[in-house]
Amino acid sequence: MNPKELDMSQQQREQVDQMMRGAPLDIGGEPGELRRLFEQMMTSQPLSDDVQATPGELGDVPMLTITIDGAPADRTHLWFHGGWYVIGSSRTSAGLSADLARRGAARAVSIDYRLAPEHPYPAALQDAQAAYKALLGSGVDPATVAFVGESAGGGLATATMASLGDLGLPQPSCAVLFSPWTDLTLSGASMTEKVGIDPAFVPDKVQVRANDYVAGADPADPAISPLFADLRGLPPMLIQAGSNEILLDDSTRLAARAAAQDVAVILDVTPGVPHVFQSFAAVLEEGDLALDRVTEFLWARTGAAARP
Amino acid sequence: MNPKELDMSQQQREQVDQMMRGAPLDIGGEPGELRRLFEQMMTSQPLSDDVQATPGELGDVPMLTITIDGAPADRTHLWFHGGWYVIGSSRTSAGLSADLARRGAARAVSIDYRLAPEHPYPAALQDAQAAYKALLGSGVDPATVAFVGESAGGGLATATMASLGDLGLPQPSCAVLFSPWTDLTLSGASMTEKVGIDPAFVPDKVQVRANDYVAGADPADPAISPLFADLRGLPPMLIQAGSNEILLDDSTRLAARAAAQDVAVILDVTPGVPHVFQSFAAVLEEGDLALDRVTEFLWARTGAAARP
């Protein structure tokens, strides 16, 4: 970027930061109210005219299939939405799912795994496993599937991959993780160092949601906190995060562990931007550029030959 | 890669591993003999016919300018060769320098900083600073310059960037670090966990070379071990490493620190390959693909508009 572009980018980052600081979402609040507010915020903009979102089921798990008019659907992003295992849905992520589907000439299959506190661990993991198994059972080649997860969904995607060996299921071609929540013990240094810098989240509120999901189990259980999982055999992973998030170390430490355990891993950190900043790609240059890099990664792993 | 390509890649990785295990280089040995052997090994293949390598000087530092016939030279890779601060030269790196110059449509300016034990710290750092200052003094726009360093040269490139603020010099556009040596205290977990897996290097031999360079100073001095430096303000960095190296954590920890300090950083780890595996790009698919990603990174940071 040249200096003028940098100025604009700085302005965009400040706007996103202010918007997040001003959002009415108390992430530690009552789940029902929180879900309604989050749904309202994230679906206030209609999807683009070229997007088709079709509800369905996959292995008894509700899901939304998102396709782009005129785009082929022979490659699949199995999508794990964010929301701290308590809020969010395939609809709250549909904007980002559609954006990446369009860039990658793929369809997104976004699953509505069961949420805590009504359905704590292992409900979400079981739903993710069942959905992937059903996807493969429908004849989809795992080489054409990428797991994509945001925040809690990024942790869930990772925990699911780490469980596939025991289930006798093949790995997907690759995984894209946006600001994954991989450590429900909240032990990262960024969990203290980035307080106040993170415009949206503080540890004690995140702890409330961790408690909802963990529900008395061991938060360091690798199936809950895949940062502590055996990652050997996992497919290539692209992990993106912003430097303005208390979850930053959930990404940097996952990357370091994956590298040590012989996983092909790319960690890609953008400074000055918040948690899952790619959601703001339409108004934030850094988000747009980050999704360009995701697209390159996906093309290289799920069939560059098919590239239009 | 499809299964057949994976088999070939596996075979290539094993060949590179065997070649490195069989190399006659005792990295802890006598510097003069070591330099001769390394020079012989690394220059046994002539450079391609389209490569011009022209000796010169930059701020009184000897250097080699590497250009590719027919390629523009309006973008510069300021190159810091590897060799544990004791061996290596612009010539031992010329193959990789030329490869990346060709891919990136740039010229490489590869400096022969002074080597330990004859010239311990801070000789190399002073030479790097002087060369960059002279490069800018010759009218080169820093926005067209990328720092590229391998191994010790990656550490030196990082230490140099961390020193530019105090010198009143602008940062280059970006940096590419191949398996950088950033911690001369040798404190990374990989320094023990990857012993035997790393086909070429063991900690006690590396310690000999660290002692040569540190020469009684504090090895944790951030100007010697830039892992401990203040990295704020550094330009975007791409760090590549292999999972089969005792230096792996020099990369993963540098990336984590850079991220925490608001540097745009990409860490890119390839499994099953050794230290500076990009040197083997001609016979190793993973090296070739890694250099493709470096090229994408360089284009995005030093002027995509100029892309042919």
Side-chain angles (χ1 to χ4, degrees):
Chain A
M1 289 188 269
N2 67 37
K4 196 169 164 188
E5 288 168 332
L6 271 177
D7 281 353
M8 198 177 72
S9 154
Q10 173 70 21
Q11 209 175 28
Q12 290 177 339
R13 287 199 304 274
E14 282 166 11
Q15 279 166 356
V16 166
D17 190 87
Q18 288 307 316
M19 185 163 53
M20 290 193 83
R21 284 182 199 276
L25 214 63
D26 170 14
I27 196 71
E30 192 275 315
E33 174 63 9
L34 204 51
R35 288 173 191 155
R36 271 189 301 278
L37 265 172
F38 189 59
E39 190 97 11
Q40 209 173 19
M41 278 172 57
M42 298 301 283
T43 60
S44 62
Q45 301 286 333
L47 295 171
S48 306
D49 287 344
D50 65 342
V51 178
Q52 306 302 325
T54 312
E57 279 198 350
L58 197 57
D60 292 330
V61 181
M63 59 90 169
L64 202 61
T65 300
I66 292 169
T67 56
I68 310 295
D69 290 348
D74 53 356
R75 301 184 316 143
T76 304
H77 302 162
L78 187 62
W79 197 282
F80 303 79
H81 71 79
W84 310 100
Y85 292 110
V86 170
I87 68 171
S89 71
S90 57
R91 292 171 306 283
T92 60
S93 281
L96 184 53
S97 305
D99 192 352
L100 197 61
R102 189 183 296 104
R103 291 169 191 256
R107 64 170 178 162
V109 171
S110 186
I111 61 168
D112 281 300
Y113 53 84
R114 284 169 290 167
L115 298 177
E118 295 89 337
H119 304 281
Y121 169 82
L125 181 60
Q126 288 170 342
D127 287 355
Q129 293 165 338
Y132 181 54
K133 189 174 176 182
L135 183 69
L136 298 184
S138 75
V140 168
D141 180 351
T144 65
V145 178
F147 279 17
V148 185
E150 317 150 67
S151 192
L156 180 57
T158 310
T160 303
M161 289 189 289
S163 76
L164 293 178
D166 286 345
L167 299 176
L169 292 174
Q171 294 290 341
S173 68
C174 64
V176 174
L177 309 173
F178 298 114
S179 302
W181 190 20
T182 65
D183 174 13
L184 274 73
T185 74
L186 312 189
S187 68
S190 57
M191 202 51 74
T192 50
E193 289 169 2
K194 296 293 183 181
V195 171
I197 294 167
D198 187 317
F201 304 112
V202 291
D204 61 337
K205 309 278 183 162
V206 168
Q207 183 70 62
V208 174
R209 302 286 79 109
N211 294 346
D212 284 344
Y213 184 61
V214 175
D218 179 2
D221 184 325
I224 291 174
S225 293
L227 176 61
F228 310 118
D230 180 356
L231 303 174
R232 288 186 184 278
L234 262 60
M237 299 198 292
L238 171 62
I239 306 168
Q240 290 190 334
S243 77
N244 286 3
E245 44 174 324
I246 56 173
L247 285 195
L248 175 60
D249 286 9
D250 283 46
S251 286
T252 57
R253 290 177 300 158
L254 181 69
R257 184 174 174 96
Q261 296 187 348
D262 297 309
V263 175
V265 62
I266 296 176
L267 168 74
D268 175 342
V269 179
T270 299
V273 295
H275 193 59
V276 197
F277 63 96
Q278 298 85 351
S279 301
F280 303 101
V283 295
L284 182 69
E285 179 74 4
E286 282 83 356
D288 186 50
L289 293 170
L291 289 179
D292 281 350
R293 297 194 295 275
V294 172
T295 308
E296 282 297 325
F297 174 86
L298 285 167
W299 278 118
R301 269 84 188 172
T302 61
R307 191 164 186 165
Chain B
M1 290 188 269
N2 65 36
K4 196 170 166 188
E5 288 168 333
L6 271 177
D7 281 353
M8 198 177 73
S9 154
Q10 173 69 19
Q11 208 175 31
Q12 291 177 338
R13 287 200 303 275
E14 281 167 13
Q15 278 165 359
V16 166
D17 189 87
Q18 287 307 317
M19 185 164 53
M20 291 192 84
R21 286 183 197 276
L25 214 63
D26 171 14
I27 196 70
E30 192 276 315
E33 174 63 8
L34 204 51
R35 287 173 192 154
R36 271 189 300 278
L37 264 172
F38 189 59
E39 190 96 11
Q40 209 172 21
M41 277 172 56
M42 299 300 285
T43 60
S44 63
Q45 301 285 333
L47 294 171
S48 306
D49 287 345
D50 65 342
V51 177
Q52 308 302 326
T54 313
E57 280 199 350
L58 197 58
D60 294 330
V61 180
M63 58 91 171
L64 202 61
T65 300
I66 293 169
T67 56
I68 310 295
D69 291 348
D74 53 355
R75 301 184 316 144
T76 304
H77 302 162
L78 188 62
W79 198 281
F80 303 79
H81 71 78
W84 310 100
Y85 292 110
V86 170
I87 68 172
S89 72
S90 57
R91 292 171 305 284
T92 59
S93 282
L96 184 53
S97 305
D99 191 352
L100 198 61
R102 188 183 296 105
R103 291 168 190 256
R107 64 171 178 161
V109 172
S110 186
I111 60 169
D112 281 300
Y113 53 85
R114 285 169 289 167
L115 296 177
E118 296 88 338
H119 304 282
Y121 169 82
L125 182 60
Q126 289 170 343
D127 287 354
Q129 292 165 338
Y132 181 54
K133 189 174 178 182
L135 183 68
L136 298 184
S138 75
V140 167
D141 179 351
T144 65
V145 177
F147 280 16
V148 185
E150 317 150 68
S151 191
L156 181 58
T158 310
T160 303
M161 289 188 289
S163 77
L164 293 178
D166 287 345
L167 298 176
L169 293 175
Q171 294 290 342
S173 68
C174 64
V176 174
L177 309 173
F178 298 115
S179 302
W181 190 22
T182 65
D183 175 12
L184 275 72
T185 73
L186 312 191
S187 68
S190 58
M191 202 50 75
T192 49
E193 289 170 0
K194 296 292 184 182
V195 171
I197 294 167
D198 186 319
F201 304 112
V202 290
D204 63 335
K205 308 277 183 164
V206 169
Q207 184 69 63
V208 173
R209 301 286 82 107
N211 293 346
D212 285 344
Y213 183 60
V214 176
D218 179 1
D221 184 326
I224 291 174
S225 294
L227 176 61
F228 310 118
D230 181 356
L231 303 175
R232 287 185 183 279
L234 261 61
M237 300 198 292
L238 172 62
I239 306 168
Q240 289 189 335
S243 76
N244 286 4
E245 44 174 323
I246 56 173
L247 285 195
L248 175 59
D249 286 10
D250 283 46
S251 285
T252 58
R253 290 178 299 159
L254 181 69
R257 185 177 174 93
Q261 296 187 348
D262 298 309
V263 175
V265 62
I266 296 175
L267 168 73
D268 176 342
V269 178
T270 299
V273 295
H275 193 58
V276 197
F277 63 96
Q278 299 84 350
S279 302
F280 304 102
V283 295
L284 181 69
E285 178 75 3
E286 282 83 355
D288 186 49
L289 293 170
L291 289 178
D292 281 349
R293 296 193 296 274
V294 172
T295 308
E296 282 297 323
F297 174 86
L298 286 167
W299 279 117
R301 269 84 189 172
T302 62
R307 191 165 186 166

